[in-house]
Amino acid sequence: MLIHTVMDRRSVFKLAIATAAAGWLGQAAWSQVRFASYPFSLGVASGSPSHDGVVLWTRLMGDLPPRALAVQWEVASDEHFTRVVQRGVQQAVPELAHSVHAEVRGLDADRWYFYRFIAGDAISPTGRTRTFPTPESAVDRLRLAYASCQRWEHGYFSAWRHMAEENLDVVLFLGDYIYEYPTSAKAVRVPTGGWVLTLEDYRARYALHRSEPELQAMHAACPWLVSWDDHEVQNDYAGLTPGSGGPPVADFAARRAAAYQAFYEHMPVRASALTRAVAGLGAGAEMRIYSQQRFGRLANLMLLDDRQYRDRQVCNPAGKTGSSNVDPANCPEWNDPARTLLGFAQEKWIDETLASGGATWTVFGQQTLFGQRDGRIGPGQLFWNDGWDGYSAARRRLTESLQAHRAANPVMLGGDVHENWVGHVKADYADPDSNAIGVEFCGTSITSRSSGNEKMAQRLAENPHFVFADAERRGYGVVEFTPRRLVTTLRVVDDVTKRDTRVETLSAFAVQAGRARIERI
Ligand SMILES: [Fe+2]
């Protein structure tokens, strides 16, 4: 019985709001079931932390009845749950894949907590989470990791196992949590299900990832702030324009709506993300995932969405969809100020957020390489039209906004390119003598492949605002912010084709507060 296929999207939104409200019982409260198998096999997660609350997530799995099931949650100050500070009941409804989103409020600021779920006679694994310090408070330290791109068939998730030992306050996930592909050349392992096209397909692909114990461990270790890139829907899609790859789909807006719903069902994000637009995702309405959160006076964290609202890529060869490498000399639209990567509403929101003042560090978690990267060695230029280079006027508007509001110590964190790139954010990338106005750390992938370092020395020489790059190693970055400086450590694993692999430091960098200059340490 597939109730969700006959429900209209508006009803799904209403359900999401209702089920996420703490204590909502609905009609089927306390309808208990005996589970034939352990229902918490996908683990637990927490996310979207504020100074007084956090979203707790789980999803019931197994041969479940097609009706709402009551799930209790508990938050405690100790891991044995002897001091429970809050508890409540949510409904896990089949229309939302029996997922649970409990939006807990009223917690103390700047505190670690433990949480778990109870359904019938089953108890979930215990997760650990934290609230952020209040925006006004002085804070000594913030440790976060940034990560992206975990193509399942390209390798094992050992990076997450190592990250779980990094003593982090929060994880920024910057996109490509799943990929929609059936498999790849030289696959390390082959996912079931073929091309990911329908709601059921997307749900199954998320469940496949969440079955990985290393990923579960990292979700249970601290809260996450989660954004997405293209592969949560389709390679290189742009707004409501399809990207490339796979069988043609008649209604792309419907495919995107299914993908967005499955994302919601599997991520510790607020129901308001799904429900902001009541007209319905299927008609192309917004799923608002960009957000801002202060970590005391130390950091202003802004999580961006560069995929949902963007204009399509320009100057692809005739008949080609998705992305291409483009010589801007042959592309009249290249610098068209009418084009946007973030959408004008999100641009305005950034501008207003920066205008309202900030913290010591202005940190952007966004999807891709921010700095200009010319791919043609020697005279002439060649840019990838899917990244910020393909939306240069939009990039200029963002750097101008940073300067106009004197944003303190801007730090761009990114992903998408499956390579580590470390560099300076320039006031004008076309002018090598222009000021550095911030720094950038674009991360490698958890597993997804890249091209290798063969021409790296020339690539770096061509783009001197970057001080370091590596296109061979997989892993993640850790940034430790203090009032005085930040230190970024690039952590890389030995070999993603093996489940059991070591981690090491590839390189580390420091930036002093007040000086947009990267020092290698
Ligand atoms: Fe990717």
Side-chain angles (χ1 to χ4, degrees):
M1 184 173 172
L2 296 172
I3 293 173
H4 58 268
T5 58
V6 295
M7 270 196 92
D8 68 76
R9 300 270 169 204
R10 187 186 297 257
S11 305
V12 170
F13 298 152
K14 285 182 181 158
L15 266 172
I17 293 178
T19 56
W24 186 81
L25 293 175
Q27 295 170 344
W30 304 112
S31 49
Q32 296 299 359
V33 293
R34 290 216 151 267
F35 296 101
S37 60
Y38 185 57
F40 296 110
S41 59
L42 300 188
V44 299
S46 72
S48 308
S50 65
H51 65 269
D52 70 344
V54 68
V55 178
L56 308 179
W57 173 94
T58 193
R59 179 188 166 191
L60 302 181
M61 293 294 285
D63 188 13
L64 303 175
R67 59 182 166 84
L69 300 172
V71 180
Q72 192 183 137
W73 54 266
E74 293 180 333
V75 176
S77 54
D78 68 305
E79 64 182 311
H80 304 295
F81 292 85
T82 54
R83 295 188 301 279
V84 172
V85 297
Q86 277 198 42
R87 55 164 61 92
V89 178
Q90 311 294 137
Q91 293 296 326
V93 298
E95 294 86 347
L96 294 169
H98 287 106
S99 61
V100 178
H101 297 74
E103 297 194 18
V104 183
R105 292 192 176 85
L107 299 174
D108 291 338
D110 201 13
R111 283 278 304 275
W112 284 94
Y113 291 98
F114 297 87
Y115 64 94
R116 65 184 179 185
F117 298 90
I118 302 161
D121 56 358
I123 301 176
S124 78
T126 294
R128 190 169 167 268
T129 192
R130 66 162 299 154
T131 52
F132 280 8
T134 58
E136 315 77 47
S137 52
V139 177
D140 294 339
R141 199 184 73 141
L142 163 64
R143 263 177 82 79
L144 63 77
Y146 57 98
S148 59
C149 297
Q150 46 177 351
R151 190 159 171 182
W152 194 85
E153 60 269 32
H154 282 183
Y156 294 99
F157 288 175
S158 59
W160 295 121
R161 179 164 49 82
H162 294 295
M163 194 197 284
E165 287 158 19
E166 300 274 7
N167 191 23
L168 300 173
D169 295 300
V170 64
V171 172
L172 266 52
F173 191 82
L174 301 177
D176 292 355
Y177 194 97
I178 59 162
Y179 284 70
E180 78 282 18
Y181 298 119
T183 186
S184 71
K186 297 186 188 150
V188 175
R189 47 186 179 165
V190 178
T192 53
W195 283 99
V196 176
L197 303 168
T198 67
L199 180 57
E200 289 305 315
D201 297 338
Y202 285 106
R203 285 172 169 168
R205 191 57 61 95
Y206 279 103
L208 177 72
H209 285 59
R210 281 295 176 82
S211 302
E212 297 285 330
E214 299 92 343
L215 182 55
Q216 287 189 13
M218 193 59 238
H219 273 295
C222 73
W224 287 36
L225 287 164
V226 188
S227 191
W228 56 29
D229 197 20
D230 53 340
H231 290 286
E232 283 84 355
V233 180
Q234 186 196 22
N235 179 51
D236 289 341
Y237 88 92
L240 284 166
T241 304
S244 64
V249 171
D251 184 348
F252 180 72
R255 180 184 183 182
R256 196 183 82 156
Y260 284 7
Q261 182 180 329
F263 175 89
Y264 172 76
E265 290 169 351
H266 293 85
M267 292 297 162
V269 294
R270 296 183 187 278
S272 57
L274 186 63
T275 55
R276 188 164 278 263
V278 290
L281 286 178
E286 173 188 40
M287 178 158 152
R288 169 87 178 255
I289 63 165
Y290 62 83
S291 66
Q292 177 257 350
Q293 200 56 245
R294 282 276 292 272
F295 197 88
R297 296 209 300 259
L298 184 60
N300 189 17
L301 303 176
M302 300 175 74
L303 191 69
L304 305 188
D305 173 359
D306 87 353
R307 198 50 73 172
Q308 184 173 189
Y309 314 101
R310 65 161 68 192
D311 287 308
R312 62 182 307 167
Q313 301 88 350
V314 284
C315 296
N316 282 332
K320 187 173 188 297
T321 57
S323 66
S324 309
N325 289 311
V326 171
D327 180 348
N330 302 327
C331 182
E333 305 101 304
W334 193 252
N335 292 312
D336 182 356
R339 299 182 62 248
T340 174
L341 183 67
L342 301 175
F344 289 106
Q346 188 176 190
E347 287 188 11
K348 184 162 173 279
W349 170 83
I350 292 171
D351 198 62
E352 288 167 356
T353 305
L354 295 176
S356 68
T360 302
W361 301 95
T362 305
V363 184
F364 289 91
Q366 48 87 48
Q367 280 65 58
T368 190
L369 187 73
F370 188 75
Q372 176 173 294
R373 188 174 62 174
D374 176 9
R376 178 167 286 155
I377 313 290
Q381 293 179 310
L382 198 64
F383 295 121
W384 188 42
N385 66 357
D386 189 70
W388 281 100
D389 281 336
Y391 300 81
S392 53
R395 177 170 56 201
R396 176 61 78 95
R397 286 194 293 274
L398 182 47
T399 53
E400 284 175 354
S401 179
L402 289 169
Q403 292 171 278
H405 300 299
R406 300 180 186 280
N409 300 302
V411 181
M412 291 285 170
L413 304 176
D416 181 35
V417 296
H418 308 170
E419 301 174 353
N420 272 304
W421 285 77
V422 176
H424 296 104
V425 175
K426 301 287 278 185
D428 180 1
Y429 283 100
D431 175 8
D433 295 328
S434 76
N435 285 338
I437 61 166
V439 296
E440 161 163 31
F441 299 94
C442 185
T444 182
S445 57
I446 293 290
T447 52
S448 306
R449 288 178 195 142
S450 61
S451 58
N453 280 343
E454 199 186 338
K455 293 214 166 105
M456 192 53 86
Q458 296 99 307
R459 293 172 78 194
L460 274 167
E462 195 73 32
N463 299 283
H465 42 274
F466 290 108
V467 301
F468 176 86
D470 176 82
E472 303 232 317
R473 306 294 295 272
R474 313 274 74 83
Y476 54 89
V478 174
V479 192
E480 181 165 311
F481 297 91
T482 67
R484 201 170 57 82
R485 68 172 192 169
L486 72 74
V487 172
T488 298
T489 309
L490 308 182
R491 302 282 278 163
V492 292
V493 296
D494 286 349
D495 182 357
V496 290
T497 68
K498 299 184 175 67
R499 195 177 274 279
D500 196 16
T501 184
R502 292 180 318 128
V503 72
E504 64 181 342
T505 294
L506 177 67
S507 196
F509 306 89
V511 179
Q512 309 298 324
R515 294 177 74 189
R517 208 185 77 202
I518 294 168
E519 308 157 44
R520 196 156 173 178
I521 55 176

